[in-house]
Amino acid sequence: MEVLYRTLELDECDRIREVDASQYIGRAWRNVDGYRQLVEINYQDTDFPNGFEDHLSNLKNTIRSGGIVLGAFFKERLLGFCSVNNTVFGDYYKYVLLDQLFISNELRNKGIGKKLFFMAAKMAKNKRAVKFYICAGSSEETIAFYFAIGCEETKVIDQDLYQTDTRDYQLEFDFMKL
């Protein structure tokens, strides 16, 4: 399958409906008695976390504010997308938020997410950022993906981002690894 990777335009944002964001989550990372550990949750997430409209709105805002939005296409079908906010933040590191990374359920584990991630990282590095800040969903598979491509627990937790969902795993990716 020959996948085309390119910038996603504002008028194409509704196409994220083409992505099957569903995910079965058998185990997830949770804080139990002060320690992070995998716990059984056996949950079927049928749509985008926080709903489609929330993700659509964030995606449009990212494009309007000059952020990075990339899509992966096969024969004009959107297979997945990645978005990076434009705002550089952090007192110690120059972070940019990797806001969204979704690959259609049936196409995961085929390198599409990895390709989108590294394309976005190279573009963000060119905007003078030093690291991605990532609020990753806590499923075992999601965290394994991020660790496998070189992410690690963040050195400095952004409290505002952390408070949006305290179950998220706060990660970072240093662009020096590129």
Side-chain angles (χ1 to χ4, degrees), residues 1 26 35 37 44 49 55 80 83 92 100 112 128-129 146 148 169-170:
M1 174 170 49
Y35 298 98
Q37 55 187 293
Q44 179 66 44
H55 288 272
S83 68
Y92 190 72
Q100 300 186 65
I112 297 168
R128 306 280 188 239
Y146 283 116
Y169 214 118
Q170 308 298 302

Side-chain angles (χ1 to χ4, degrees), residues 29-32 34-38 153 167-170:
W29 290 96
R30 296 289 187 263
N31 188 342
V32 179
Y35 298 98
R36 189 184 319 256
Q37 55 187 293
L38 280 172
E153 286 192 57
R167 296 173 301 174
D168 279 353
Y169 214 118
Q170 308 298 302

Side-chain angles (χ1 to χ4, degrees), residues 25-66:
I25 304 169
R27 298 189 316 167
W29 290 96
R30 296 289 187 263
N31 188 342
V32 179
D33 298 328
Y35 298 98
R36 189 184 319 256
Q37 55 187 293
L38 280 172
V39 298
E40 297 284 333
I41 63 170
N42 296 315
Y43 175 72
Q44 179 66 44
D45 199 349
T46 59
D47 198 2
F48 290 94
N50 305 321
F52 171 81
E53 293 300 328
D54 183 59
H55 288 272
L56 179 62
S57 175
N58 287 347
L59 199 63
K60 288 179 178 180
N61 288 338
T62 298
I63 292 172
R64 287 182 185 122
S65 66

Side-chain angles (χ1 to χ4, degrees), residues 155-167:
K155 308 278 186 291
V156 181
I157 292 179
D158 182 284
Q159 287 301 316
D160 291 334
L161 290 170
Y162 174 74
Q163 291 303 321
T164 61
D165 189 342
T166 58
R167 296 173 301 174

Side-chain angles (χ1 to χ4, degrees), residues 2-13:
E2 190 171 327
V3 178
L4 170 68
Y5 297 89
R6 65 171 175 79
T7 300
L8 194 67
E9 302 297 331
L10 185 61
D11 64 351
E12 297 178 296
C13 286

Side-chain angles (χ1 to χ4, degrees), residues 116-144:
L116 285 170
F117 179 93
F118 284 110
M119 286 177 67
K122 287 175 184 168
M123 293 171 78
K125 182 178 181 180
N126 290 337
K127 290 184 173 229
R128 306 280 188 239
V130 174
K131 295 183 178 196
F132 270 150
Y133 191 97
I134 306 159
C135 302
S138 60
S139 77
E140 181 176 22
E141 294 82 5
T142 298
I143 301 309

